[in-house]
Amino acid sequence: MKVEKIHKAQNGYIMLFVALVLLVGGIALLRIYVGAFMIFTALFMCAGFVLVNPNSSRVLLLFGKYVGTIKENGLFWANPLYTKKRISLRASNFDSERLKVNDKLGNPVMISTILVWRVTNTYKAAFDVDDYQNFVRVQTDAAVRKLASMYPYDNFADEGLDEDITLRSSVNEVSEALEKELQERLSMAGIEVLEARIGYLAYAQEIANAMLRRQQATAIVAARHKIVEGAVSMVEMALEELSKKNLVALDDERKSAMVSNLMVVLCSDKDVSPIVNTGTLNH
């Protein structure tokens, strides 16, 4: 397989001066055949000038044969018979479309990616693929589909599905996996992946409401668990303090009533209206 070759072209300013000298001399000697030949030579030389902008390149072909690539910016002159194909070396952004794919658990999700890439090997970009820009778009969509099927959208610990890496929470791990997958796919086109990240991620519309209610229910259960755990600790501390300071003597029945009342007060999601007992503990 051929590799990229850097072509050293002639200085364009020197060749421009030569072309102008031939053109002026040809006009001065136009009455004889030498003048016409000089003008024809000057015009023919004009087809060889190549302007290469910064972070750009020109791939040179001679009758279908790869000659080399000019990567140095400036004005150059090459064989007028060369075919000169422009390939940009600048970093490019690609924001993929939102794709509907199934995650590892089979849930439909909408996902898109933001890719930053650039061409590093002009020979591969020009000749190993048909259209390297379209190649980037197609392979990015394929990589995103594969990535989404490898990980679940979120953890479902209550169902025994506790994953180490998820699409929603493991941003860095997912981005690294996406970059690696894209680099393997795009290396054959001479393209370097600078950055790849998930640009959009959400459940598909048909299950979005159901999943939102599920997440809310999970959050409520977790909050209630914390409230009950804290309430039990507070009741235990209250009983210990009362017993330690001998403020009041409580039998098992009164302790049960006290625990019940404290749990209702502490675990209720609304303000409790207390009832003051002005009689004895037996009433």
Side-chain angles (χ1 to χ4, degrees), residues 17-195:
F17 176 77
V18 173
L20 290 176
V21 171
L22 290 175
L23 183 62
V24 173
I27 294 175
L29 302 174
L30 188 59
R31 295 184 178 181
I32 57 178
Y33 293 108
V34 176
F37 178 77
M38 293 174 64
I39 294 175
F40 174 79
T41 302
L43 295 177
F44 180 73
M45 288 180 61
C46 290
F49 289 104
V50 182
L51 180 62
V52 182
N53 296 319
N55 285 326
S56 184
S57 67
R58 290 295 185 94
V59 177
L60 306 179
L61 296 174
L62 179 61
F63 303 121
K65 181 181 179 181
Y66 175 67
V67 177
T69 302
I70 303 176
K71 286 189 172 181
E72 185 180 358
N73 62 294
L75 180 64
F76 301 96
W77 186 87
N79 190 334
L81 298 178
Y82 286 167
T83 301
K84 308 168 184 69
K85 182 178 181 179
R86 186 193 306 272
I87 293 182
S88 176
L89 303 179
R90 298 183 179 94
S92 300
N93 285 320
F94 173 62
D95 188 0
S96 68
E97 297 181 357
R98 295 179 182 179
L99 304 174
K100 180 187 289 188
V101 297
N102 292 331
D103 68 356
K104 184 178 180 180
L105 303 179
N107 297 318
V109 297
M110 300 296 297
I111 187 172
S112 69
T113 185
I114 299 175
L115 174 66
V116 183
W117 60 278
R118 67 181 176 187
V119 175
T120 56
N121 190 312
T122 57
Y123 178 85
K124 291 184 177 181
F127 306 115
D128 284 358
V129 294
D130 184 36
D131 183 348
Y132 68 92
Q133 293 179 337
N134 183 65
F135 186 79
V136 171
R137 290 191 291 269
V138 174
Q139 293 301 320
T140 300
D141 290 345
V144 171
R145 291 181 183 275
K146 180 180 178 181
L147 179 80
S149 65
M150 293 171 58
Y151 306 107
Y153 179 90
D154 204 354
N155 271 323
F156 297 101
D158 55 338
E159 296 181 0
L161 302 174
D162 191 6
E163 297 284 344
D164 295 332
I165 300 177
T166 62
L167 296 175
R168 186 180 66 85
S169 61
S170 306
V171 178
N172 294 332
E173 292 80 357
V174 172
S175 298
E176 290 177 2
L178 181 60
E179 287 183 15
K180 183 179 179 181
E181 179 68 21
L182 283 171
Q183 188 60 67
E184 292 177 356
R185 291 173 176 266
L186 299 180
S187 59
M188 67 173 298
I191 293 173
E192 178 187 6
V193 176
L194 302 178
E195 184 181 9

Side-chain angles (χ1 to χ4, degrees), residues 273-279:
S273 299
I275 299 175
V276 179
N277 183 8
T278 58

